[in-house]
Amino acid sequence: MASYFLIATFGYKPSNLHGIIEADETFIAEYFKGKRKICRPARKRGGGNIPQVPIIMVLDRAGNIVHKVI
């Protein structure tokens, strides 16, 4: 998993971060609220395997935050 994390972010270089930075990834559930067409069958009462969307968040010591969907 760590190699995927590094490869996916290789081409992404934020310009507003300086000095020491901290990076972490998080996963949130994919949702389709408000969309008229859904690319998967409907679930009842939240059951089933929910696809996760990976997001990288980077923070520097000055408080600048950059986030990107991987």
Side-chain angles (χ1 to χ4, degrees), residues 1-2 4-5 8 24-31 50-57 68-70:
M1 186 62 157
Y4 172 74
F5 178 76
D24 195 12
E25 64 182 348
T26 186
F27 295 90
I28 59 170
E30 185 178 24
Y31 63 94
I50 301 172
Q52 302 288 311
V53 178
I55 297 176
I56 183 170
M57 300 186 76
K68 180 173 174 80
V69 176
I70 301 177

Side-chain angles (χ1 to χ4, degrees), residues 30 32 37-41:
E30 185 178 24
F32 299 97
K37 296 195 181 207
I38 300 175
C39 60
R40 61 166 172 75

